[in-house]
Amino acid sequence: MKEMMRIFLTAIKKRGHILKLIEKVDELKIKLICEGQEDFLIFQRGEVFLHSDKSDTSVTYEINGHRDSIYRLLEGKEKLRILIKDGQLKVKAPFRTILLIESIFYLTKPEDLYKEFIS
């Protein structure tokens, strides 16, 4: 999943207009949980990066689900709210945050870079 997230980071950094969505966000920490793995995305003042400190207790939002659902979210192929509604992902976040996260992932769409991960 880490490689998949790195591809997402590369794609979002190429789309400066999407980073404008998080320009005024002081800090948005998201823990992605997939099949026993935990990875962390940090959105902060117009930047996004991976975070690897699993002992960090300040992570406030979580997205939990199966690999395919997480990948569809990261690819921008499926909206977060649909994945939640269908029971494919569980999210711990306020509705406004869910909308922001959904917008970021859906608009980034890293295109063909993910093909090697999809089975």
Side-chain angles (χ1 to χ4, degrees):
M1 187 163 72
K2 259 198 199 330
E3 186 61 31
M4 188 83 157
M5 290 175 66
R6 284 190 188 106
I7 292 170
F8 169 77
L9 289 176
T10 301
I12 196 170
K13 288 177 182 180
K14 290 180 181 177
R15 292 167 175 81
H17 63 285
I18 296 170
L19 293 175
K20 297 257 185 222
L21 289 172
I22 56 170
E23 204 169 63
K24 294 184 180 182
V25 173
D26 286 331
E27 189 170 67
L28 175 66
K29 292 183 178 181
I30 302 168
K31 182 187 336 183
L32 292 166
I33 305 167
C34 172
E35 299 172 1
Q37 284 186 305
E38 293 180 357
D39 289 307
F40 303 84
L41 274 176
I42 310 295
F43 297 93
Q44 186 173 35
R45 294 182 194 101
E47 294 187 39
V48 59
F49 50 92
L50 285 174
H51 182 62
S52 60
D53 185 5
K54 292 181 181 173
S55 65
D56 187 354
T57 58
S58 65
V59 174
T60 51
Y61 309 115
E62 290 183 7
I63 299 175
N64 189 344
H66 294 287
R67 177 181 166 246
D68 294 337
S69 300
I70 297 281
Y71 285 4
R72 284 198 320 269
L73 177 67
L74 289 172
E75 290 175 312
K77 287 188 174 182
E78 195 78 55
K79 291 184 177 182
L80 180 58
R81 288 176 294 153
I82 291 172
L83 291 166
I84 294 168
K85 181 181 170 190
D86 293 345
Q88 297 177 38
L89 290 179
K90 293 181 183 174
V91 178
K92 292 182 183 177
F95 188 66
R96 276 187 152 174
T97 304
I98 289 172
L99 292 175
L100 175 61
I101 294 167
E102 178 178 80
S103 299
I104 292 167
F105 288 129
Y106 193 71
L107 293 172
T108 299
K109 291 189 186 183
E111 296 149 7
D112 295 335
L113 298 174
Y114 284 112
K115 284 185 179 177
E116 64 187 84
F117 294 101
I118 300 170
S119 47

